[in-house]
Every structure is written in C-alpha cells, then in structure tokens.
Amino acid sequence: MEVSHIEHIGIAVKNLNDSIKFFEEVLGLKCYGIEEVKDQKVKTAFFLIGKTKIELLESTESDGPVAKFIEKRGEGVHHIAYAVDDINAALKETESKGIQLIDKEPRKGAEGLNIAFLHPKSTNGVLTEFVETVKS
Ligand code: CMX
C-alpha cells in the first residue's frame, strides 16, 4: 500500500464552537467547513495545515463513539487518519497482516470521502483510519 501523508488528526471535543476558538483565535487557522456525519454520530469542523487537516469531533448522540470516548478518557486525540490511494487494497493487505479491522468495507465519511477504521487494540492503542485520496 502507499500512504502519502497524514490526511487528518481527529480530536474529540465536548463543544465544537468553543473548541474552534483556539484554532482560529490562537493558531490563526480558518475553519473551512462544519459538517454532520450522521453515520458516525458526530458533527465535525475542519482546518487545513499543509496537506493535513485537523478534524474536531463533537458527538451528536450520547451513545456515539465520540461520546463514549470522552466519557472514558475526556477530550483529546481520538484518531489518526492516513491517506491511501486504494482503500480496498489497503484494507485487504492490512487484514492479511493480522490487523483487526473495524470496517471490512469502506464507508462514506466527512467530505464524501471513502473511509475505514482499524481497531485500536491492533494499532498500539491508537484508533487508525484510512482515507482514500480523491484521484484528480
Ligand atoms: N482510541 C483508542 N482507544 C479507544 C478509542 C479511541 N478513539 N475508542 C475506544 N477505545 C478503547 C476504549 O478505551 C476501550 O479500551 P479498554 O477495553 O482498554 O477499556 C476499548 O477501546 C473499547 O471501548 P468502548 O468504549 O467499549 O467502545 P467500543 O468497543 O464499543 O468501540 C471502537 C470502540 C474503537 C471500536 C469504536 O469507537 C469505533 O468503531 N470507532 C470507529 C468509528 C469512530 O470512531 N467514529 C467517530 C469519528 C468519525 C469521523 O472521523 O468522521
């Protein structure tokens, strides 16, 4: 597989609007998009730094993965997403190397991109995501 860059880092927050302030008012970044991803029970806010995004995640449901994460661990880094050119091939290769997948098939994530998660128990305790780069 070819991993080209870190596509984004996901940060779990309690309140999106409160957390956006640090990135805009202190780091001087611009939030370029806010989007709800119903499938993942989150509302997201995006910032771009070079080719990498910061994705803030606020849970929209009390039983969602981000709500459960904050309840157990508090706010913080939730996952790291790697850009891959062919997500189906990346999942197949990863599984064949004994890594536990959460998603055996890609699904649609924020920004309409194909995404899939690997289980943190297989990846040094860090929830890991693949994002398929859009071919231009
Ligand atoms: N990073 C590292 N570990 C995590 C984790 C995370 N983000 N989320 C949960 N865990 C750990 C828990 O701490 C717990 O560990 P212990 O067994 O040592 O206590 C274990 O995983 C199980 O946690 P849980 O709260 O019982 O949660 P589940 O097993 O029901 O689900 C997970 C865990 C990772 C499978 C689930 O959160 C998942 O499917 N995540 C992928 C989808 C997702 O996170 N979507 C939100 C973001 C979407 C987006 O970017 O748009």
Side-chain angles (χ1 to χ4, degrees):
M1 104 177 63
E2 203 182 306
V3 175
S4 55
H5 60 285
I6 292 179
E7 211 277 341
H8 68 263
I9 296 171
I11 301 177
V13 303
K14 289 180 182 161
N15 183 291
L16 215 55
N17 289 331
D18 288 351
S19 300
I20 284 172
K21 286 185 191 145
F22 167 73
F23 292 88
E24 291 203 324
E25 294 171 16
V26 180
L27 298 187
L29 300 170
K30 176 98 193 91
C31 174
Y32 71 84
I34 291 183
E35 182 185 341
E36 185 172 342
V37 186
K38 284 213 162 70
D39 188 41
Q40 301 286 342
K41 301 181 177 174
V42 289
K43 200 159 81 167
T44 63
F46 281 101
F47 304 85
L48 191 61
I49 308 170
K51 277 182 90 171
T52 301
K53 300 159 191 163
I54 297 290
E55 178 188 41
L56 302 184
L57 300 153
E58 177 191 312
S59 187
T60 53
E61 313 258 351
S62 57
D63 65 343
V66 169
K68 282 170 80 178
F69 177 88
I70 289 179
E71 202 180 294
K72 276 198 171 166
R73 301 173 171 221
E75 293 182 307
V77 173
H78 180 262
H79 65 268
I80 296 181
Y82 297 95
V84 295
D85 57 343
D86 181 340
I87 197 166
N88 285 299
L91 287 172
K92 221 169 156 184
E93 184 181 336
T94 303
E95 190 171 36
S96 77
K97 290 179 174 168
I99 304 296
Q100 189 187 339
L101 309 183
I102 293 173
D103 300 306
K104 288 194 181 256
E105 299 289 332
R107 43 182 164 162
K108 288 284 173 205
E111 304 186 307
L113 298 172
N114 291 329
I115 63 158
F117 285 93
L118 315 182
H119 202 285
K121 296 281 179 217
S122 281
T123 51
N124 306 292
V126 178
L127 178 61
T128 298
E129 181 181 355
F130 289 148
V131 178
E132 191 168 56
T133 45
V134 181
K135 290 158 193 101
S136 50

